[in-house]
Amino acid sequence: MNIFLASSEVHPYSKTGGLADMVGALGKTMVQAGHRVGVVTPLYLGVRERFPRMMRLGLPLDFPLGMNRASGEAWSLEPMEGLTVYFVDQPALFQRSGLYEQYGIDYADNAERFMFFSKAVVHLALHLPRKPEVLHLHDWQTAFAAVFIHHQRRLPQWHAAPRTCLTVHNMAYQGLFPASQYALANLPWDYFVPDGVEFYGQTNYLKAGIAFADLLATVSPRYAREITTPEYGCGLDGLLRHRSAALSGILNGVDYDEWNTTKNPCLPYPYSVNDLTGKSANKRELQREFGLPEIGDVPLFGSIGRLVDQKGVDIMLGALEQMLGANLQFVLLGAGMPRFECAFRALASRFPSQVAVRIGFDQALSHRIEAGSDFFLMPSRFEPCGLNQMYSLRYGTIPVVRATGGLDDTVIDIRDDRDRANGIKFSVYSSPALAKAIRKALALYAEPELLQWFRRNAMAADFSWEWTAKQYVALYERMLATARPQPTG
Ligand code: ADP
Ligand code: GLC
């Protein structure tokens, strides 16, 4: 099958979160399964320098953007046979220090940036010699492409348009802009209606995709159910219920070529389920790196992530306040909202022998934290899938998670299944509930045999990408087997 994936971030070219890991691994795995894959992503600052083998495609990208025009070009890179990555190069829009924001504030022209990108995605899908049968979009930054394809079907050459699938990685980020920004699409205003692009008088990019993509997916079965409810649907639950026949929940996978404990250049000491001595050595190394006392028998909790409301940062801070009287250490790697960054820095300066934080983004350090910690805290308010808890499992680091979205689908509490328990789950979103879960972790730590049992189960859990990629391909096949959508209008 010939498949096109479009995403505003793709590992190893750009990354702010799990979206990049997901699209990078999905493309690679589909190629390994024998499909031909094109991945389209913006050309951000520094990427051309890091990947000098990239070549000019010679396909100009020149589109109206409302009353203006913007032009750019495309570059391509073939990291493996069967996989081509297309970079959309528009320096004024994409050559910036951040992907979406600077100093915690979104770029003021994000509507223009990702409308241009969505137009480029469609242009490449329709004009490259090898036309994709499926255009798989990811999140609001590419969602508008579904409207353009839908619109194509009104035109005489409509049959050339691919089918569209939109994966929603997070309902909380919708690309919501003033109504006037709809003009950037240069489409008739009949799409700007309540069952289309319009959302309470504003232009909603994600809603555009949800309304017009042929198929919808999200990144775990539980989140697929949650987003059809008002609590998790972020205002789009009604539309999602309306489109529920087209919606699937497919759990993300883990790229075990990168996230493993045996052959990993980021880890000072390799280890495996049968010999955990390397894990203890990584723990000591991590304590040294963070300036914490190098004590072997103190339980070490780690956490990595965007410091935003979604990740349960407020209850993590509250629970740590309650629990720091106990014998435990905590290390954090993260960046995000300034108030959360300050709060963690303050906690570290009040408890210097127990708490240490690194504010910033550091992929190699994230591996060392996963490997050196005993427990991994992920108390998310909501979590579409979550990758870190799956990385923790493979690293024998017991995840302590709130039972929501993909966290609930991937972590097994002893109350769910005694024999397969690999983590600790709690339900109520509160600091005391998390503090109680941390106390359970301390109790587990005090029972080495039980802890070893949890670790064995954790390291045996298998979330390989092959399974996830197969689910998506089955979805595409179902979509291609149904009658082509008829031209409308
Ligand atoms: P989300 O996509 O919501 O941020 P996920 O758990 O799906 O959450 O994925 C987060 C990814 O980003 C993981 O690969 C994680 O290791 C990485 N990550 C998040 N924050 C940082 C950071 N400060 N430094 C390094 N990696 C980070
Ligand atoms: C989003 C979600 C996260 C998910 C990731 C990859 O960023 O917040 O839960 O794992 O996308 O799908």
Side-chain angles (χ1 to χ4, degrees), residues 15 17-19 21 259 304-306 310-311 333-335 360-363 366 378 383 386-388 391:
K15 170 167 168 175
L19 169 65
D21 292 11
W259 294 91
I304 303 162
R306 296 180 293 115
Q310 173 191 345
K311 300 293 173 183
L333 167 65
F361 197 93
D362 184 337
Q363 299 206 41
S366 73
M378 205 157 165
E383 196 59 76
L387 298 176
N388 273 312
Y391 301 155

Side-chain angles (χ1 to χ4, degrees), residues 147 149-155 158 191 212 485-489:
V147 193
I149 295 288
H150 182 89
H151 189 65
Q152 273 289 319
R153 294 182 184 146
R154 288 178 162 190
L155 308 176
W158 67 275
Y191 292 107
F212 291 105
Q486 291 305 302
T488 51

